[in-house]
Amino acid sequence: DIQMTQSPSTLPASVGDRVTITCRASQSISNSLAWYQQKPGKAPKLLISKASSLESGVPLRFSGSGSGTEFTLTISSLQPDDFATYYCQQYNTLISFGQGTRLEI
Amino acid sequence: EVQLVESGGGLVQPGGSLRLSCIASGFPFSTYAINWLRQAPGKGLEWVSYINKNSDNIYYADSVRGRFTISRDNAKNSLFLQMNSLRDEDTAVYYCAREGPSGPPVDCWGQGTLVTVSS
């Protein structure tokens, strides 16, 4: 099984901040990495696929990078709507998720 | 509009069974692979099971293999999850989620249905 390690688990931040979330895979997954945003009581929303491809309609302040085992999600200037929990997901071999990063004020 | 609507959740005793359903609309269901995923209260996301469009490739997480069975009825745009020998740790919101038209990752989720296993 491929283990995904995401950090930090909680990230205090303010509107306008630039933030970065890191995700590490236990073995190489090439670029088979997605990022999701989840708000309380809601289903996750796909933000980024193939490590760096922004989904249609997702604001350009979101970006992803990395390949192999190290990946990052960056939000360039936090907006109030961005305070949520973010998950990385590998889909190279079945599916597994990181533990999540809660972005909080 | 692409929609996935789960149903069938509820309260069940340990050792009991439950059958979840997911009805799809707004896209050609028979051409998409579908997954079940779950999220325990206050916890992270966990993949449960996968079925491809023809039902000839099926996979399960170790935590549910031998107890859960995924199936689909393409004629009825429906996905199912038969859950047997339920345990306390199966308590979660269960989501059905579609993979993209070219394969993973999951790009569309239902709203979820809550399964509570408790005596």
Side-chain angles (χ1 to χ4, degrees):
Chain A
D1 293 5
I2 298 177
Q3 310 300 321
M4 304 300 292
T5 304
Q6 193 174 333
S7 61
S9 56
T10 304
L11 182 54
S14 301
V15 172
D17 284 355
R18 178 185 179 91
V19 298
T20 297
I21 299 169
T22 298
C23 187
R24 180 176 293 113
S26 59
Q27 64 189 74
S28 178
I29 58 170
S30 184
N31 68 342
S32 300
L33 192 285
W35 290 98
Y36 294 86
Q37 177 192 67
Q38 187 179 33
K39 296 183 177 180
K42 301 294 186 182
K45 173 188 175 183
L46 178 63
L47 300 176
I48 289 171
S49 62
K50 296 181 183 178
S52 60
S53 295
L54 205 64
E55 293 296 301
S56 175
V58 175
L60 294 177
R61 62 181 179 273
F62 290 90
S63 64
S65 66
S67 67
T69 61
E70 297 279 339
F71 303 87
T72 59
L73 171 70
T74 299
I75 309 173
S76 60
S77 180
L78 276 173
Q79 299 302 301
D81 190 52
D82 300 338
F83 289 92
T85 300
Y86 293 84
Y87 292 92
C88 63
Q89 178 210 74
Q90 71 79 22
Y91 50 93
N92 183 74
T93 304
L94 299 178
I95 289 174
S96 54
F97 292 89
Q99 303 95 317
T101 295
R102 182 183 173 192
L103 200 51
E104 60 181 29
I105 298 175
Chain B
E1 179 192 6
V2 174
Q3 270 200 314
L4 296 161
V5 180
E6 303 93 336
S7 61
L11 175 63
V12 61
Q13 292 188 338
S17 298
L18 214 54
R19 189 188 194 216
L20 304 184
S21 300
C22 172
I23 306 295
S25 61
F27 67 99
F29 178 76
S30 64
T31 66
Y32 283 75
I34 311 288
N35 293 266
W36 284 102
L37 304 102
R38 66 185 181 183
Q39 187 169 35
K43 303 298 184 182
L45 297 164
E46 180 187 15
W47 170 76
V48 173
S49 184
Y50 162 95
I51 187 167
N52 74 337
K53 59 184 180 180
N54 296 322
S55 303
D56 51 12
N57 281 319
I58 288 174
Y59 303 103
Y60 298 98
D62 290 345
S63 57
V64 307
R65 187 176 296 113
R67 301 186 298 122
F68 289 12
T69 302
I70 191 172
S71 62
R72 65 191 293 166
D73 183 341
N74 286 341
K76 296 182 178 179
N77 288 352
S78 298
L79 175 77
F80 306 101
L81 186 68
Q82 177 66 42
M83 304 186 296
N84 298 330
S85 303
L86 283 161
R87 305 168 180 168
D88 291 351
E89 56 265 34
D90 294 319
T91 293
V93 174
Y94 284 73
Y95 296 100
C96 64
R98 183 194 82 169
E99 289 192 349
S102 303
V106 163
D107 68 350
C108 181
W109 302 60
Q111 86 290 348
T113 187
L114 176 62
V115 173
T116 303
V117 184
S118 175
S119 54

PDB file of all heavy atoms in Angstrom, chain A residues 76-96:
ATOM      1  N   SER A  76      -1.708  31.279  -3.052  1.00  0.00           N
ATOM      2  CA  SER A  76      -0.830  32.458  -3.117  1.00  0.00           C
ATOM      3  C   SER A  76      -1.299  33.596  -2.227  1.00  0.00           C
ATOM      4  O   SER A  76      -0.489  34.324  -1.665  1.00  0.00           O
ATOM      5  CB  SER A  76      -0.710  32.944  -4.564  1.00  0.00           C
ATOM      6  OG  SER A  76      -1.994  33.290  -5.055  1.00  0.00           O
ATOM      7  N   SER A  77      -2.609  33.782  -2.098  1.00  0.00           N
ATOM      8  CA  SER A  77      -3.148  34.865  -1.273  1.00  0.00           C
ATOM      9  C   SER A  77      -4.497  34.402  -0.726  1.00  0.00           C
ATOM     10  O   SER A  77      -5.507  34.436  -1.436  1.00  0.00           O
ATOM     11  CB  SER A  77      -3.307  36.144  -2.090  1.00  0.00           C
ATOM     12  OG  SER A  77      -3.842  37.191  -1.289  1.00  0.00           O
ATOM     13  N   LEU A  78      -4.474  33.969   0.518  1.00  0.00           N
ATOM     14  CA  LEU A  78      -5.655  33.360   1.104  1.00  0.00           C
ATOM     15  C   LEU A  78      -6.863  34.290   1.084  1.00  0.00           C
ATOM     16  O   LEU A  78      -6.755  35.481   1.420  1.00  0.00           O
ATOM     17  CB  LEU A  78      -5.378  32.956   2.556  1.00  0.00           C
ATOM     18  CG  LEU A  78      -4.704  31.604   2.793  1.00  0.00           C
ATOM     19  CD1 LEU A  78      -4.369  31.452   4.259  1.00  0.00           C
ATOM     20  CD2 LEU A  78      -5.583  30.469   2.304  1.00  0.00           C
ATOM     21  N   GLN A  79      -7.982  33.707   0.679  1.00  0.00           N
ATOM     22  CA  GLN A  79      -9.257  34.406   0.728  1.00  0.00           C
ATOM     23  C   GLN A  79     -10.130  33.764   1.807  1.00  0.00           C
ATOM     24  O   GLN A  79      -9.913  32.609   2.187  1.00  0.00           O
ATOM     25  CB  GLN A  79      -9.941  34.348  -0.629  1.00  0.00           C
ATOM     26  CG  GLN A  79      -9.147  35.010  -1.739  1.00  0.00           C
ATOM     27  CD  GLN A  79      -8.848  36.460  -1.436  1.00  0.00           C
ATOM     28  OE1 GLN A  79      -9.755  37.270  -1.245  1.00  0.00           O
ATOM     29  NE2 GLN A  79      -7.551  36.794  -1.379  1.00  0.00           N
ATOM     30  N   PRO A  80     -11.128  34.475   2.313  1.00  0.00           N
ATOM     31  CA  PRO A  80     -11.980  33.913   3.381  1.00  0.00           C
ATOM     32  C   PRO A  80     -12.591  32.563   3.021  1.00  0.00           C
ATOM     33  O   PRO A  80     -12.745  31.700   3.891  1.00  0.00           O
ATOM     34  CB  PRO A  80     -13.054  34.996   3.553  1.00  0.00           C
ATOM     35  CG  PRO A  80     -12.391  36.263   3.131  1.00  0.00           C
ATOM     36  CD  PRO A  80     -11.463  35.880   2.013  1.00  0.00           C
ATOM     37  N   ASP A  81     -12.914  32.361   1.749  1.00  0.00           N
ATOM     38  CA  ASP A  81     -13.535  31.116   1.320  1.00  0.00           C
ATOM     39  C   ASP A  81     -12.567  29.929   1.335  1.00  0.00           C
ATOM     40  O   ASP A  81     -12.977  28.777   1.204  1.00  0.00           O
ATOM     41  CB  ASP A  81     -14.107  31.282  -0.095  1.00  0.00           C
ATOM     42  CG  ASP A  81     -14.976  30.108  -0.511  1.00  0.00           C
ATOM     43  OD1 ASP A  81     -15.898  29.746   0.257  1.00  0.00           O
ATOM     44  OD2 ASP A  81     -14.729  29.534  -1.585  1.00  0.00           O
ATOM     45  N   ASP A  82     -11.274  30.190   1.493  1.00  0.00           N
ATOM     46  CA  ASP A  82     -10.267  29.127   1.417  1.00  0.00           C
ATOM     47  C   ASP A  82     -10.068  28.395   2.735  1.00  0.00           C
ATOM     48  O   ASP A  82      -9.371  27.377   2.775  1.00  0.00           O
ATOM     49  CB  ASP A  82      -8.918  29.707   0.974  1.00  0.00           C
ATOM     50  CG  ASP A  82      -8.993  30.358  -0.395  1.00  0.00           C
ATOM     51  OD1 ASP A  82      -9.909  30.027  -1.172  1.00  0.00           O
ATOM     52  OD2 ASP A  82      -8.132  31.217  -0.679  1.00  0.00           O
ATOM     53  N   PHE A  83     -10.646  28.921   3.818  1.00  0.00           N
ATOM     54  CA  PHE A  83     -10.457  28.266   5.109  1.00  0.00           C
ATOM     55  C   PHE A  83     -11.291  26.986   5.130  1.00  0.00           C
ATOM     56  O   PHE A  83     -12.516  27.014   5.178  1.00  0.00           O
ATOM     57  CB  PHE A  83     -10.785  29.225   6.248  1.00  0.00           C
ATOM     58  CG  PHE A  83      -9.752  30.309   6.376  1.00  0.00           C
ATOM     59  CD1 PHE A  83      -9.919  31.527   5.715  1.00  0.00           C
ATOM     60  CD2 PHE A  83      -8.596  30.106   7.110  1.00  0.00           C
ATOM     61  CE1 PHE A  83      -8.946  32.518   5.798  1.00  0.00           C
ATOM     62  CE2 PHE A  83      -7.628  31.087   7.203  1.00  0.00           C
ATOM     63  CZ  PHE A  83      -7.797  32.300   6.544  1.00  0.00           C
ATOM     64  N   ALA A  84     -10.591  25.861   5.076  1.00  0.00           N
ATOM     65  CA  ALA A  84     -11.192  24.552   4.876  1.00  0.00           C
ATOM     66  C   ALA A  84     -10.123  23.513   5.201  1.00  0.00           C
ATOM     67  O   ALA A  84      -9.023  23.849   5.650  1.00  0.00           O
ATOM     68  CB  ALA A  84     -11.661  24.395   3.440  1.00  0.00           C
ATOM     69  N   THR A  85     -10.458  22.247   4.971  1.00  0.00           N
ATOM     70  CA  THR A  85      -9.484  21.169   5.120  1.00  0.00           C
ATOM     71  C   THR A  85      -9.069  20.689   3.734  1.00  0.00           C
ATOM     72  O   THR A  85      -9.919  20.528   2.848  1.00  0.00           O
ATOM     73  CB  THR A  85     -10.059  20.018   5.947  1.00  0.00           C
ATOM     74  OG1 THR A  85     -10.417  20.514   7.245  1.00  0.00           O
ATOM     75  CG2 THR A  85      -9.045  18.900   6.103  1.00  0.00           C
ATOM     76  N   TYR A  86      -7.775  20.469   3.555  1.00  0.00           N
ATOM     77  CA  TYR A  86      -7.218  20.058   2.269  1.00  0.00           C
ATOM     78  C   TYR A  86      -6.609  18.670   2.392  1.00  0.00           C
ATOM     79  O   TYR A  86      -5.929  18.358   3.380  1.00  0.00           O
ATOM     80  CB  TYR A  86      -6.165  21.064   1.807  1.00  0.00           C
ATOM     81  CG  TYR A  86      -6.791  22.407   1.490  1.00  0.00           C
ATOM     82  CD1 TYR A  86      -7.031  23.338   2.502  1.00  0.00           C
ATOM     83  CD2 TYR A  86      -7.195  22.728   0.198  1.00  0.00           C
ATOM     84  CE1 TYR A  86      -7.636  24.551   2.226  1.00  0.00           C
ATOM     85  CE2 TYR A  86      -7.803  23.936  -0.092  1.00  0.00           C
ATOM     86  CZ  TYR A  86      -8.031  24.838   0.940  1.00  0.00           C
ATOM     87  OH  TYR A  86      -8.642  26.033   0.667  1.00  0.00           O
ATOM     88  N   TYR A  87      -6.874  17.845   1.386  1.00  0.00           N
ATOM     89  CA  TYR A  87      -6.352  16.482   1.355  1.00  0.00           C
ATOM     90  C   TYR A  87      -5.583  16.244   0.053  1.00  0.00           C
ATOM     91  O   TYR A  87      -6.042  16.644  -1.027  1.00  0.00           O
ATOM     92  CB  TYR A  87      -7.488  15.453   1.398  1.00  0.00           C
ATOM     93  CG  TYR A  87      -8.257  15.401   2.700  1.00  0.00           C
ATOM     94  CD1 TYR A  87      -9.405  16.166   2.868  1.00  0.00           C
ATOM     95  CD2 TYR A  87      -7.838  14.601   3.751  1.00  0.00           C
ATOM     96  CE1 TYR A  87     -10.117  16.134   4.058  1.00  0.00           C
ATOM     97  CE2 TYR A  87      -8.553  14.558   4.951  1.00  0.00           C
ATOM     98  CZ  TYR A  87      -9.686  15.321   5.086  1.00  0.00           C
ATOM     99  OH  TYR A  87     -10.393  15.287   6.263  1.00  0.00           O
ATOM    100  N   CYS A  88      -4.455  15.578   0.176  1.00  0.00           N
ATOM    101  CA  CYS A  88      -3.812  15.044  -1.021  1.00  0.00           C
ATOM    102  C   CYS A  88      -4.271  13.605  -1.201  1.00  0.00           C
ATOM    103  O   CYS A  88      -4.654  12.928  -0.236  1.00  0.00           O
ATOM    104  CB  CYS A  88      -2.295  15.126  -0.927  1.00  0.00           C
ATOM    105  SG  CYS A  88      -1.532  14.161   0.394  1.00  0.00           S
ATOM    106  N   GLN A  89      -4.248  13.156  -2.438  1.00  0.00           N
ATOM    107  CA  GLN A  89      -4.678  11.794  -2.775  1.00  0.00           C
ATOM    108  C   GLN A  89      -3.780  11.256  -3.880  1.00  0.00           C
ATOM    109  O   GLN A  89      -3.594  11.908  -4.907  1.00  0.00           O
ATOM    110  CB  GLN A  89      -6.123  11.800  -3.275  1.00  0.00           C
ATOM    111  CG  GLN A  89      -6.662  10.448  -3.703  1.00  0.00           C
ATOM    112  CD  GLN A  89      -7.712  10.563  -4.808  1.00  0.00           C
ATOM    113  OE1 GLN A  89      -7.402  10.827  -5.974  1.00  0.00           O
ATOM    114  NE2 GLN A  89      -8.965  10.349  -4.458  1.00  0.00           N
ATOM    115  N   GLN A  90      -3.234  10.054  -3.666  1.00  0.00           N
ATOM    116  CA  GLN A  90      -2.517   9.409  -4.754  1.00  0.00           C
ATOM    117  C   GLN A  90      -3.458   8.453  -5.453  1.00  0.00           C
ATOM    118  O   GLN A  90      -4.292   7.790  -4.817  1.00  0.00           O
ATOM    119  CB  GLN A  90      -1.245   8.700  -4.246  1.00  0.00           C
ATOM    120  CG  GLN A  90      -1.476   7.449  -3.420  1.00  0.00           C
ATOM    121  CD  GLN A  90      -1.806   6.197  -4.238  1.00  0.00           C
ATOM    122  OE1 GLN A  90      -1.491   6.109  -5.434  1.00  0.00           O
ATOM    123  NE2 GLN A  90      -2.457   5.225  -3.616  1.00  0.00           N
ATOM    124  N   TYR A  91      -3.310   8.374  -6.777  1.00  0.00           N
ATOM    125  CA  TYR A  91      -4.120   7.425  -7.542  1.00  0.00           C
ATOM    126  C   TYR A  91      -3.247   6.615  -8.508  1.00  0.00           C
ATOM    127  O   TYR A  91      -3.716   6.113  -9.526  1.00  0.00           O
ATOM    128  CB  TYR A  91      -5.268   8.125  -8.281  1.00  0.00           C
ATOM    129  CG  TYR A  91      -4.877   9.331  -9.111  1.00  0.00           C
ATOM    130  CD1 TYR A  91      -4.579   9.188 -10.461  1.00  0.00           C
ATOM    131  CD2 TYR A  91      -4.836  10.604  -8.551  1.00  0.00           C
ATOM    132  CE1 TYR A  91      -4.241  10.285 -11.236  1.00  0.00           C
ATOM    133  CE2 TYR A  91      -4.487  11.705  -9.310  1.00  0.00           C
ATOM    134  CZ  TYR A  91      -4.199  11.553 -10.649  1.00  0.00           C
ATOM    135  OH  TYR A  91      -3.863  12.657 -11.421  1.00  0.00           O
ATOM    136  N   ASN A  92      -1.975   6.493  -8.156  1.00  0.00           N
ATOM    137  CA  ASN A  92      -1.067   5.657  -8.945  1.00  0.00           C
ATOM    138  C   ASN A  92      -1.410   4.182  -8.762  1.00  0.00           C
ATOM    139  O   ASN A  92      -1.396   3.404  -9.728  1.00  0.00           O
ATOM    140  CB  ASN A  92       0.368   5.922  -8.503  1.00  0.00           C
ATOM    141  CG  ASN A  92       1.369   5.150  -9.336  1.00  0.00           C
ATOM    142  OD1 ASN A  92       1.633   5.489 -10.482  1.00  0.00           O
ATOM    143  ND2 ASN A  92       1.926   4.085  -8.758  1.00  0.00           N
ATOM    144  N   THR A  93      -1.696   3.799  -7.525  1.00  0.00           N
ATOM    145  CA  THR A  93      -2.096   2.439  -7.185  1.00  0.00           C
ATOM    146  C   THR A  93      -3.307   2.518  -6.280  1.00  0.00           C
ATOM    147  O   THR A  93      -3.192   2.903  -5.114  1.00  0.00           O
ATOM    148  CB  THR A  93      -0.963   1.700  -6.456  1.00  0.00           C
ATOM    149  OG1 THR A  93       0.203   1.733  -7.270  1.00  0.00           O
ATOM    150  CG2 THR A  93      -1.362   0.253  -6.185  1.00  0.00           C
ATOM    151  N   LEU A  94      -4.470   2.151  -6.823  1.00  0.00           N
ATOM    152  CA  LEU A  94      -5.737   2.365  -6.109  1.00  0.00           C
ATOM    153  C   LEU A  94      -5.788   3.813  -5.624  1.00  0.00           C
ATOM    154  O   LEU A  94      -5.385   4.713  -6.337  1.00  0.00           O
ATOM    155  CB  LEU A  94      -5.867   1.349  -4.972  1.00  0.00           C
ATOM    156  CG  LEU A  94      -5.886  -0.130  -5.434  1.00  0.00           C
ATOM    157  CD1 LEU A  94      -5.966  -1.086  -4.268  1.00  0.00           C
ATOM    158  CD2 LEU A  94      -7.022  -0.378  -6.422  1.00  0.00           C
ATOM    159  N   ILE A  95      -6.302   4.030  -4.434  1.00  0.00           N
ATOM    160  CA  ILE A  95      -6.429   5.391  -3.911  1.00  0.00           C
ATOM    161  C   ILE A  95      -6.016   5.404  -2.449  1.00  0.00           C
ATOM    162  O   ILE A  95      -6.415   4.527  -1.673  1.00  0.00           O
ATOM    163  CB  ILE A  95      -7.896   5.891  -4.021  1.00  0.00           C
ATOM    164  CG1 ILE A  95      -8.281   6.159  -5.472  1.00  0.00           C
ATOM    165  CG2 ILE A  95      -8.107   7.147  -3.184  1.00  0.00           C
ATOM    166  CD1 ILE A  95      -9.752   6.509  -5.646  1.00  0.00           C
ATOM    167  N   SER A  96      -5.261   6.398  -2.057  1.00  0.00           N
ATOM    168  CA  SER A  96      -5.031   6.644  -0.640  1.00  0.00           C
ATOM    169  C   SER A  96      -4.849   8.139  -0.425  1.00  0.00           C
ATOM    170  O   SER A  96      -4.420   8.857  -1.337  1.00  0.00           O
ATOM    171  CB  SER A  96      -3.831   5.853  -0.095  1.00  0.00           C
ATOM    172  OG  SER A  96      -2.675   6.087  -0.860  1.00  0.00           O
TER     173      SER A  96
END
